[in-house]
Amino acid sequence: MTATIFEKSVAGRRAFVAPEVDVPRDDDALPERFRRAEPPRLPEIAEPEIVRHYTTLSTKNFHLDKGFYPLGSCTMKHNPKLHERVAALPGHARLHPLQAPARAQGALQLMWELQRALAEIAGLPHVSLHPAAGSQGELAGVLLTRAYHEARNEHRHRILTPDTAHGTNPATVTMAGYEVVKVGTDADGGVDVDDLRSKVDDDVASLMLTNPNTLGVFDRNIEEIASVMHDVGATLYYDGANLNAVMGRARPGDMGFDIVHYNLHKTFTQPHGGGGPGAGPIAVSDRIEPYLPRPQVVRRDDGTFDLDYDRPESIGRLRGFQGNFGVFVRSYAYILSLGADGLADVSDTAVLNANYLMARLRELAGEHLPAAFDRTCMHEFVLTGGPMKKALGIRTADLAKRLLDKGFHPPTVYFPLLVDEALLIEPTETETKETLDAFAEAIAEILAEAAEDASIAKEAPHTTPVRRLDEAGAAKRPVIRQPL
Amino acid sequence: MTATIFEKSVAGRRAFVAPEVDVPRDDDALPERFRRAEPPRLPEIAEPEIVRHYTTLSTKNFHLDKGFYPLGSCTMKHNPKLHERVAALPGHARLHPLQAPARAQGALQLMWELQRALAEIAGLPHVSLHPAAGSQGELAGVLLTRAYHEARNEHRHRILTPDTAHGTNPATVTMAGYEVVKVGTDADGGVDVDDLRSKVDDDVASLMLTNPNTLGVFDRNIEEIASVMHDVGATLYYDGANLNAVMGRARPGDMGFDIVHYNLHKTFTQPHGGGGPGAGPIAVSDRIEPYLPRPQVVRRDDGTFDLDYDRPESIGRLRGFQGNFGVFVRSYAYILSLGADGLADVSDTAVLNANYLMARLRELAGEHLPAAFDRTCMHEFVLTGGPMKKALGIRTADLAKRLLDKGFHPPTVYFPLLVDEALLIEPTETETKETLDAFAEAIAEILAEAAEDASIAKEAPHTTPVRRLDEAGAAKRPVIRQPL
Amino acid sequence: MSRYTSATDADREAMLERIGAGSIDELFADIPASVRLDRPIDLPAGKPEQEVYGYLRDLAARNTSAEDEITFLGAGMYDHYVPALVDALISRSEFLTPYTPYQPEVSQGTLQLMFEYQTAISELTALPVSNSTLYEGPSAVASAGWLARLENKRPRFLVSRGLHPHSREALATTSHGYGTAVEQIPLAGGVTDADALREAIGEDVSAVFLQQPNFLGAVEDLERLAPIARETGALLVVQVDPMTLGVLRPPGDFDVDIAVGEGQPLGNRLDFGGPSFGFFAAQERFLRRMPGRIAGETTDVDGRRGFVLTLQTREQHIRREKATHNITTAQTLNALAGVIYLSWLGRKGIVELGDLLLQRTAYARRTLTALDGVEALHDQPVVREFAVRLAAPVDRVIERCAERGVNPGYPLAADYEEHEDGLLVAITEQRTRADIDRLADVLGAAVAAEREAVHA
Amino acid sequence: MSRYTSATDADREAMLERIGAGSIDELFADIPASVRLDRPIDLPAGKPEQEVYGYLRDLAARNTSAEDEITFLGAGMYDHYVPALVDALISRSEFLTPYTPYQPEVSQGTLQLMFEYQTAISELTALPVSNSTLYEGPSAVASAGWLARLENKRPRFLVSRGLHPHSREALATTSHGYGTAVEQIPLAGGVTDADALREAIGEDVSAVFLQQPNFLGAVEDLERLAPIARETGALLVVQVDPMTLGVLRPPGDFDVDIAVGEGQPLGNRLDFGGPSFGFFAAQERFLRRMPGRIAGETTDVDGRRGFVLTLQTREQHIRREKATHNITTAQTLNALAGVIYLSWLGRKGIVELGDLLLQRTAYARRTLTALDGVEALHDQPVVREFAVRLAAPVDRVIERCAERGVNPGYPLAADYEEHEDGLLVAITEQRTRADIDRLADVLGAAVAAEREAVHA
Ligand SMILES: Cc1ncc(COP(=O)(O)O)c(C=O)c1O
Ligand SMILES: Cc1ncc(COP(=O)(O)O)c(C=O)c1O
């Protein structure tokens, strides 16, 4: 491993050269009792070594520009280089968030146009770009549901989430002050409608659904589900993490959803940055609109754009300023580049790639890694490693680690929870057929190798900067900062 | 190895989306007989795979932001990131070279200020930024000498170069239509003045000298050498590749040189780009000035800047337009950042680092790798691998290859030619003491290892993307393009 | 428009055949006809790269950015110089394009920078533990509120009126969900009213929220306020400006429980408000209740040092409804910019820069308050930002200044009805003495002109 | 100012002690006192990064770049759109910061891109061999002259007057050194006068230099000219514009000996004239006389494919005064931009783009020559650039257009006294029909106004 930047520090070295104090000194400007005695022990190091440190660190990462990254539910599609160029324009990058709207018309227009485009894609009329990520979009969405019911003097206490739901859904429900009720999954991988009916009553505020869901299955009963919820006056929430599957084919709004969040860093290709930034805009129906966060970007009758704070029923803000604008620039560039056809082609190709890879894996590895739900998938699909574990004695985790040696990032593993030894595989539309073939063959090789000698996979990875790490030890005796 | 971009081509794929033909078509615009029948077989490939291809290729390079690069005579110093930012400003990057001077005042002022700064650093009054690299600077310089003599109706045929000279010096002499005469080196590593005297007469046009020379030795007899040349009316040419040693300490102009070239990509830290671009400005004395290339950047009496083409005695241009402006921006940023003190500190620290590393190597490897000239060096020094070869049976080439396994770029090897198994080591000022220590220790380890088992070094490198390559075979049956 | 996808017609055919489907439409058979979109998406056709660039460049040109005017806007985000090495390093694909580091063996770059970031934040705040970012400042304040809720379930939050208005609002929005009431503690003489705080504090108070320096730029007397706030066992949460922590005493000096803040000043762009990052540091005892990712040091099977995401049992993907927070995607790339920036600034630099801001701010305050019609809004010490009162309509004064290429600052009226004549002026190292003198010149003239206009 | 150096005072002391020197001054003892600089360098003190940035940004702002006006300037360098992936990839340290690949085991990235570049240039020119760049266009022409000199020692070069003036001058400057005379072949009707060429050709002609399209934008009839040029064994050297090679017949179709050109249009910035790259392709028989670096394919000791610098016995570091050229540092990074650009454009794109230029150029020529006081300077086919005659002083017309934000092109007077009324207008994919119409509008008005001015 590389020594930390703190370990490379040597007293007296520096990269920063301070501008001179060009004003008459006022030594009483800050009374002694407010002054820090000991400066923070930041590194002392010159520019060349900072550059080498972080350049070297960077090379220890697997990344999308290096190879295949089929991380299910994360939509690891290509990040166009154009987006970094337009985001870096000084008119964007150096625009202060409190600049008067009259002098930020370009930015407000961009946001407004993005709102319109997202509304059209989701089939819901009103969009707020405010939330910082999907999870914050979820929280906003659930608080909108609360506001909607409170405005009707209804005080509901429960929210339903399928057992296939992503962890953020139940976690959000709790943070918003509701109780989570789990709904089961039927044999086709959709919501178990009977179970749903049995749990729905007028104390239920909402159902949070991902469609296609985290099994890569499109819920055929979506209309029935919607009416069940609407009959009791509950809202239907669409977790948009899987929107990449259906653009141009179907729209959450048309399916009966009231509230949608988008993950711009998934469907609309914001680079993930090793864990953010992203953005989680939300779209809502007319009845939810009054409660949207503040401020809203609006176009005035004279054609100018503005920030509207005058929203008496708004739930208010969940964060500062106007949202992750830098992310909006990139995602809007993507929408402008692809246009209507291009976006539809994205979903078509994403689904084609997923079904092709599933077919290849059925041929090459079907015996040990069968599909959890053997049917046409959407943009992703789930395999179960159960048979592999029995027959070959290696677990999904071992397969994943061995894939690292073959130069692939593993799929999402052990999620969704209801599938034994799950692998959730999402190839995305930007991968080539050759890449999908190579991945399927790599998996076949690993299985064949394991039949010979399971220890190779069990002890994998062998070629990475470090090998398996002691996560239990890390949690037992947490060392989360450099001792200085 | 990675397949070539041509091998990754698949018919029908594309990254480029053409703007539409927005004008009425004229199908007779180009008569058939001028039209290309078969398009060039460029790759067909989408953006994500282009990005992955070149990203992956890049990782097969050793580079300055990765580690120590003590390539003698090349001055591999840190390349500040600021320079890329300022070079990329649209006002620089998108400025057309034929823009009217009145609308390119910023660029012309930058060039003029850079000329002034370079003139002060070299101690010669007139600078031309025209040449594209050191070698072209040399050619310009020798052609200036020719013009100077021809203006005096002198027709000289010979130019002297020391046997320590860089290969570009004699090559340049030939290209400029002169005959090369070699001058020997004395016991101290300087020019053998007796040999020089014996070869100087009025048929000699110039002496091309590097000072400090490629042995890292400053020629104590420089004044005598200058007068020897000037006595016969010859010019004295300063190869500025080693200017990094003496900034703020001494100036070629003050030593008696008439013509100097700078390597902005060495002393003034233009990134090398894997073999360019660079720039090779020249500075000259008053008597040479009339012959400088065209155009010259000048400041008019009204304070505006202009391109002066009206130079009847000029040797003319050696290239298009005004020189490698993008390089000038970076080098001028460097001069502005460091200022007078900073530049002097550069040379002081470069010489300190070189002498320190030489001292460390004397301690740790002196027996097998003695200094070729055991005296205080300037910014670089030469070791001879002769004793190592005798005692341990490994050659300088083996040592160099083994250094690759240790994560270091080797020094320049087998140059200068007059030193047996030469290693020319230039640490530069931007390296830390820790790095110099680690390098010295790595060499000691390799020597110790070789004493045990010479084959390890002889077969090195072992950890690189490819191992030793068959260069002879490559030259015998050249394959210099992809067969398609 | 395929430029990011590679499937040629030949590929599609071959793939469909392998799948055993006759067409791509077939793959979407699960979507009930009644909810299918039976028309193209109503958006324009795609554009060539150069046209997308041109369109967005033209939009950008319609904004007046810090590149186009001399701006004294601050109020939470500041126009600091971002050194070139930050952009150069964070734009490397290796940092830019990976997902959250779920596979540590191939994510040591990201995991180590998170660890270094956590170290830098705990050094800045002088608190023992830090997470590896939340979204941004105000939501970090709200997250501190949620932690307090998990900690003590008490029904009241007390927030200083000196806390950033966005932080106050984000806290109110989210706490409404779980039912904790938010009460404000007024300011007196520009700083939090200690007596009012003593009045309001009680056993039923879950947490107290302060800001240092507060929104009006004033340095709060934490020495005095902290004991009052914590007297009855409430958590003390302080939002701090990281750029001031080279010169101001850090939260750790006052045993605050949680320090949060907006990370933008540390090497991040203004970006019209985001993305940036929110930092979250706390006392050791809150470690297992912290929101967000945390990187921890460990060893691999060969005994080599390495880093992993740790204490994940706090998180949604494991604990689901019992998680300490719902956050997953955070702001790692922005944290990278932050830690590179702090390494660039260094131990000496953060003090030098803080001192430069302090001196220029003092100078600017002296210079502006010497103008007719401009007076200090409070007399508390200030470090990098200060508030003044204008004897003329603030918005019109701002307009006049803007016309002359100077943005004098942020009008307080929208957030502080009691200060509708207030202007908040921020200083960075990019605002030189000459810029400050120009502000004085332009502002003085604008105020004078507006006063005339009134009298006329 | 240490920010790029790390030697602290403590380091310096320790190092000097190890060296056995009392001071750094001692290390410079070899420099005779009489030639020492006994004063500081006379330059300003160093500046903080932000000030250097600010200073250079302000200088840049004083230029009118292609970002600031609608420009039709060409004449050798063209304002083509550079796709973002080019900048993103060439700015990777791995490509940006290494030296020439002397250690192939750790330089496969650079060596392979050189090999791919050579392949792309051979494909464009339809010639079997290419080097891996020279400095730029005109010096590549001069280098072709030097190769001819090495090849046949004949005393005369014939250059078409349609060859770029800078190429003609660079050839003259350098050939003066080795004593080959340069004679011009005039143009007739905008193209090289075939009869004049036939007149001038002879056994003593070393090489003939043509340009396609020529400097006036006209497509030369190489079919006709090539045989004449090569009749007496002279080498035929053609400078070509790479952007036209998707639509125009390539040099290889006419058995030219050497094709050279300016690489800037291929993904490189304008940069006020450099750095860019010069390409150099030739017939197989010249391989061992080629100037510059050449990458070749080979295998390593384990039989793996790899690349090396090859045929180095041509070069200065081995052959010294017998080398085929003195070049060492060339333009590898610019070549990388070139090959990435060509991969982005692709086999179809280079034809589509060529066709777009062809059509827009034809439209522009029709539109402009329909204006009063504007007529075609010649009627030859044109592809991406064309010349017109103005019935008003060209410089003053340009000034008038510039005031309205349009740069109409390059005035021919300086290089062609016979065309002092000439204007050279270049088209790129960034100049839309709307831009061309605007040019017509602005140019027409300017010419009219100037004619009035004269009559008045
Ligand atoms: C299905 C699903 N829902 C919600 C989320 C949360 O989104 P974010 O990471 O943007 O907070 C994710 C991604 O992690 C997801 O995959
Ligand atoms: C001593 C010396 N002279 C001349 C040159 C040639 O300079 P350039 O590579 O810029 O043509 C070099 C560098 O290669 C050199 O080291």
Side-chain angles (χ1 to χ4, degrees), chain D residues 178-196:
Chain D
Y178 52 83
T180 302
V182 178
E183 298 165 33
Q184 278 195 26
I185 306 300
L187 301 179
V191 292
T192 307
D193 183 336
D195 302 332

Short mmCIF file of all heavy atoms in Angstrom, two decimals, chain D residues 178-196:
data_model
loop_
_atom_site.label_atom_id
_atom_site.label_comp_id
_atom_site.label_asym_id
_atom_site.label_seq_id
_atom_site.Cartn_x
_atom_site.Cartn_y
_atom_site.Cartn_z
N TYR D 178 22.57 23.84 -47.38
CA TYR D 178 23.29 22.81 -48.15
C TYR D 178 23.35 23.13 -49.63
O TYR D 178 23.80 22.32 -50.43
CB TYR D 178 22.71 21.42 -47.88
CG TYR D 178 21.21 21.28 -48.05
CD1 TYR D 178 20.65 21.08 -49.30
CD2 TYR D 178 20.36 21.34 -46.95
CE1 TYR D 178 19.28 20.93 -49.46
CE2 TYR D 178 18.99 21.20 -47.10
CZ TYR D 178 18.45 21.00 -48.35
OH TYR D 178 17.08 20.85 -48.50
N GLY D 179 22.84 24.30 -49.99
CA GLY D 179 23.15 24.83 -51.31
C GLY D 179 22.28 24.37 -52.45
O GLY D 179 22.69 24.38 -53.61
N THR D 180 21.05 23.93 -52.17
CA THR D 180 20.14 23.62 -53.27
C THR D 180 19.29 24.85 -53.57
O THR D 180 18.76 25.47 -52.65
CB THR D 180 19.24 22.43 -52.90
OG1 THR D 180 20.07 21.31 -52.57
CG2 THR D 180 18.31 22.07 -54.05
N ALA D 181 19.21 25.21 -54.84
CA ALA D 181 18.46 26.41 -55.24
C ALA D 181 16.97 26.09 -55.33
O ALA D 181 16.58 24.98 -55.71
CB ALA D 181 18.96 26.91 -56.58
N VAL D 182 16.14 27.06 -54.98
CA VAL D 182 14.69 26.88 -55.03
C VAL D 182 14.10 27.77 -56.11
O VAL D 182 14.31 28.98 -56.11
CB VAL D 182 14.06 27.25 -53.67
CG1 VAL D 182 12.54 27.10 -53.74
CG2 VAL D 182 14.63 26.39 -52.56
N GLU D 183 13.39 27.17 -57.06
CA GLU D 183 12.76 27.95 -58.13
C GLU D 183 11.24 27.74 -58.07
O GLU D 183 10.77 26.64 -57.81
CB GLU D 183 13.28 27.49 -59.49
CG GLU D 183 14.77 27.70 -59.66
CD GLU D 183 15.30 26.92 -60.86
OE1 GLU D 183 14.55 26.78 -61.85
OE2 GLU D 183 16.44 26.43 -60.77
N GLN D 184 10.52 28.79 -58.36
CA GLN D 184 9.06 28.70 -58.29
C GLN D 184 8.43 28.39 -59.63
O GLN D 184 8.85 28.88 -60.67
CB GLN D 184 8.48 30.02 -57.77
CG GLN D 184 8.54 30.11 -56.27
CD GLN D 184 7.66 31.22 -55.75
OE1 GLN D 184 6.68 31.60 -56.37
NE2 GLN D 184 8.03 31.74 -54.59
N ILE D 185 7.40 27.55 -59.60
CA ILE D 185 6.56 27.30 -60.76
C ILE D 185 5.29 28.11 -60.57
O ILE D 185 4.61 27.96 -59.55
CB ILE D 185 6.21 25.80 -60.89
CG1 ILE D 185 7.47 24.95 -60.89
CG2 ILE D 185 5.36 25.56 -62.13
CD1 ILE D 185 8.43 25.26 -62.03
N PRO D 186 4.98 29.00 -61.50
CA PRO D 186 3.83 29.90 -61.32
C PRO D 186 2.50 29.14 -61.39
O PRO D 186 2.46 27.98 -61.79
CB PRO D 186 3.96 30.87 -62.49
CG PRO D 186 4.71 30.11 -63.54
CD PRO D 186 5.65 29.21 -62.81
N LEU D 187 1.45 29.84 -61.00
CA LEU D 187 0.09 29.31 -61.13
C LEU D 187 -0.55 29.85 -62.40
O LEU D 187 -0.21 30.95 -62.85
CB LEU D 187 -0.76 29.72 -59.92
CG LEU D 187 -0.25 29.29 -58.55
CD1 LEU D 187 -1.18 29.81 -57.45
CD2 LEU D 187 -0.12 27.77 -58.48
N ALA D 188 -1.43 29.08 -62.98
CA ALA D 188 -2.23 29.55 -64.11
C ALA D 188 -3.67 29.17 -63.81
O ALA D 188 -3.96 28.00 -63.56
CB ALA D 188 -1.76 28.90 -65.41
N GLY D 189 -4.52 30.19 -63.74
CA GLY D 189 -5.92 29.91 -63.43
C GLY D 189 -6.10 29.30 -62.05
O GLY D 189 -6.99 28.49 -61.83
N GLY D 190 -5.20 29.64 -61.14
CA GLY D 190 -5.37 29.19 -59.76
C GLY D 190 -4.67 27.89 -59.45
O GLY D 190 -4.57 27.49 -58.29
N VAL D 191 -4.16 27.19 -60.46
CA VAL D 191 -3.44 25.93 -60.21
C VAL D 191 -2.05 25.96 -60.86
O VAL D 191 -1.78 26.79 -61.71
CB VAL D 191 -4.23 24.71 -60.75
CG1 VAL D 191 -5.50 24.50 -59.95
CG2 VAL D 191 -4.55 24.91 -62.23
N THR D 192 -1.22 25.05 -60.42
CA THR D 192 0.15 24.98 -60.90
C THR D 192 0.18 24.89 -62.43
O THR D 192 -0.52 24.07 -63.03
CB THR D 192 0.85 23.76 -60.31
OG1 THR D 192 0.70 23.80 -58.89
CG2 THR D 192 2.32 23.74 -60.68
N ASP D 193 0.98 25.73 -63.04
CA ASP D 193 1.07 25.79 -64.51
C ASP D 193 1.86 24.59 -65.02
O ASP D 193 3.08 24.53 -64.91
CB ASP D 193 1.74 27.11 -64.91
CG ASP D 193 1.81 27.29 -66.42
OD1 ASP D 193 1.78 26.27 -67.14
OD2 ASP D 193 1.91 28.44 -66.85
N ALA D 194 1.15 23.63 -65.58
CA ALA D 194 1.77 22.38 -66.02
C ALA D 194 2.85 22.63 -67.08
O ALA D 194 3.91 22.01 -67.07
CB ALA D 194 0.70 21.44 -66.57
N ASP D 195 2.60 23.58 -67.97
CA ASP D 195 3.58 23.86 -69.02
C ASP D 195 4.86 24.43 -68.41
O ASP D 195 5.97 24.03 -68.74
CB ASP D 195 2.99 24.83 -70.03
CG ASP D 195 1.71 24.28 -70.66
OD1 ASP D 195 1.60 23.03 -70.73
OD2 ASP D 195 0.82 25.07 -70.99
N ALA D 196 4.67 25.34 -67.49
CA ALA D 196 5.84 25.94 -66.83
C ALA D 196 6.63 24.86 -66.12
O ALA D 196 7.87 24.85 -66.13
CB ALA D 196 5.40 27.01 -65.86
#
